[in-house]
């Protein structure tokens, strides 16, 4: 038979220890909670401003329009033009002073008075971009023409080879027909001689 278990005689000591710890920690917790500033005690918070979209493909903006839009929202614009060496095909369809980029994403939150870098293109960059595009198109056309010429040459060679093969085959067939005719004539002549 198993012995009945005795209740732990130390329960009272454990509860006393826990009660002592809670009693000691409570004043510290209350003091920390009292140190957290209340909402009324906080200074007036600055409301954040949502960054407007400056580079929409459907509705492109001029530099002046972008500046005006940013200033109406309490932001400052720092205009920077695209350098001539950065001209590329993507600027070929732009108009002069069109905004093409900014350092902030649309709908990002900014503090009032924050500065936004606004990138725009000049006519010089647009012209260079068009020249680059036209040059690339000429190269594509030249490559396409070169491939077409090579393809035509390959087709001519294939036709010549096919024509030679067909002529050889025709000659072979004719030779076989002549040989068969000679054999038949030879058989007929041999039958007549008998």
């Amino acid at each position: 038979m198993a012995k009945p278990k005795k209740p732990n005689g130390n329960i009272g000591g454990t509860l006393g220890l826990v009660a002592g710890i809670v009693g000691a920690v409570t004043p510290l917790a209350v003091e920390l909670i009292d140190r957290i500033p209340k909402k009324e005690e906080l200074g007036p918070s600055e409301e954040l401003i949502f960054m407007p979209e400056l580079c929409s493909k459907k509705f492109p903006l001029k530099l002046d329009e972008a500046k005006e839009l940013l200033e109406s929202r309490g932001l400052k614009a720092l205009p920077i033009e695209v350098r001539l060496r950065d001209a590329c095909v993507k600027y070929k369809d732009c108009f002069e002073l069109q905004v093409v980029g900014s350092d902030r994403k649309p709908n990002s939150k900014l503090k009032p008075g924050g500065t936004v870098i606004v990138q725009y293109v000049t006519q010089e960059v647009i012209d260079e971009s068009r020249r680059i595009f036209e040059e690339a198109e000429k190269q594509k056309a030249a490559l396409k023409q070169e491939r077409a010429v090579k393809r035509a040459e390959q087709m001519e060679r294939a036709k010549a080879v096919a024509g030679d093969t067909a002529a050889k085959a025709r000659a072979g067939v004719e030779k076989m027909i002549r040989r068969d005719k000679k054999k038949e004539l030879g058989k007929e002549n041999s039958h007549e001689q008998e």
Side-chain angles (χ1 to χ4, degrees), residues 148-164:
V149 168
K150 282 183 181 178
R151 207 171 310 124
E153 288 173 357
Q154 288 173 344
M155 291 299 287
E156 287 300 317
R157 281 190 294 242
K159 283 180 184 178
V161 168
D164 290 346

Side-chain angles (χ1 to χ4, degrees), residues 92-150:
K92 73 176 178 59
D93 295 326
C94 293
F95 52 83
E96 188 171 13
L97 301 178
Q98 179 179 339
V99 174
V100 293
S102 72
D103 67 333
R104 308 293 178 152
K105 292 182 179 179
N107 295 323
S108 59
K109 294 179 181 179
L110 304 170
K111 291 182 180 179
T115 302
V116 177
I117 296 174
V118 179
Q119 193 174 29
Y120 65 95
V121 291
T122 60
Q123 190 60 47
E124 188 178 37
V125 171
I126 296 168
D127 293 340
E128 180 65 14
S129 298
R130 287 180 183 156
R131 187 193 66 73
I132 291 169
F133 173 73
E134 289 168 1
E135 190 175 298
E137 288 298 307
K138 284 178 186 176
Q139 287 178 353
K140 283 181 190 176
L143 260 169
K144 190 174 182 178
Q145 180 65 29
E146 188 178 310
R147 287 185 191 135
V149 168
K150 282 183 181 178

Side-chain angles (χ1 to χ4, degrees), residues 14-31:
T14 305
L15 287 177
L17 179 65
V18 170
I21 291 173
V22 170
V25 172
T26 302
L28 293 173
V30 171
E31 186 179 330

Side-chain angles (χ1 to χ4, degrees), residues 154-194:
Q154 288 173 344
M155 291 299 287
E156 287 300 317
R157 281 190 294 242
K159 283 180 184 178
V161 168
D164 290 346
T165 305
K168 287 179 184 176
R170 189 177 311 122
V173 169
E174 288 174 357
K175 194 175 184 181
M176 288 172 34
I177 291 173
R178 276 188 245 126
R179 194 174 353 137
D180 286 345
K181 281 187 180 181
K182 283 182 185 178
K183 283 183 183 178
E184 283 180 22
L185 285 176
K187 284 183 184 178
E188 285 178 14
N189 288 339
S190 65
H191 286 289
E192 288 176 10
Q193 291 174 359
E194 292 176 7

